[in-house]
């Protein structure tokens, strides 16, 4: 029996600034969304599911809670995936929901040990 192998290319996107303090957990992403890696997520209080955090949501998800690890298409139903719950991230590489800015979410994420920082160019 022969083994088969597959390879994919890794293209760094500079979302994660420091690999040293990363914590990920499994989450359920609410159906009806097609989100990119780096999306700032909020948790819906009633269901415990995650969605793109929007400042006027009113269902708990208005409070930023995590960052999506990978691109996820949940347009056809809920999807179990991974989210970052701690670490240092490039603020210019995250996706923010309606009404949020990097400045408006920074402190709330910081107390959860998620740090949004400007990328420092390597010289």
């Amino acid at each position: 029996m022969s083994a088969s192998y597959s390879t994919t290319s890794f293209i760094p996107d500079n979302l994660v600034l420091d690999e040293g303090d990363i914590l990920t957990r499994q989450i359920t992403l609410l159906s009806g969304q097609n989100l990119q890696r780096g999306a700032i997520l909020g948790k819906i209080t009633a269901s415990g599911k995650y969605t793109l955090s929007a400042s006027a949501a009113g269902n708990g998800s208005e409070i930023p809670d995590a960052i999506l690890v990978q691109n996820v298409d949940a347009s056809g139903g809920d999807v179990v995936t991974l989210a970052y719950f701690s670490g240092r991230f490039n603020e210019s590489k995250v996706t923010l929901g309606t009404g949020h800015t990097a400045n408006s979410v920074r402190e709330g994420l910081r107390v959860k040990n998620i740090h949004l920082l400007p990328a420092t160019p390597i010289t």
Side-chain angles (χ1 to χ4, degrees):
M1 176 178 218
S2 65
S4 73
Y5 298 93
S6 173
T7 60
T8 58
S9 297
F10 172 70
I11 301 170
D13 61 4
N14 298 319
L15 171 65
V16 178
L17 294 177
D18 181 359
E19 297 286 341
D21 195 21
I22 296 290
L23 172 66
T24 62
R25 287 196 332 240
Q26 202 172 58
I27 62 158
T28 300
L29 190 65
L30 183 67
S31 66
Q33 308 176 85
N34 186 359
L35 299 177
Q36 299 299 304
R37 168 180 162 82
I40 302 288
L41 304 174
K43 184 177 182 180
I44 300 169
T45 304
S47 67
K49 296 177 184 179
Y50 285 79
T51 187
L52 183 65
S53 182
S55 66
N59 60 5
S61 69
E62 66 275 10
I63 301 167
D65 193 50
I67 298 176
L68 191 61
V69 170
Q70 60 197 10
N71 298 345
V72 178
D73 184 354
S75 56
D78 293 352
V79 173
V80 175
T81 188
L82 291 174
Y84 295 113
F85 282 86
S86 73
R88 297 172 53 163
F89 301 91
N90 183 342
E91 67 184 14
S92 69
K93 298 295 182 176
V94 298
T95 301
L96 297 160
T98 303
H100 284 310
T101 65
N103 285 334
S104 73
V105 301
R106 185 174 283 110
E107 280 303 305
L109 289 172
R110 186 188 61 78
V111 299
K112 296 176 182 196
N113 204 27
I114 297 173
H115 303 276
L116 294 184
L117 304 165
T120 306
I122 298 173
T123 57

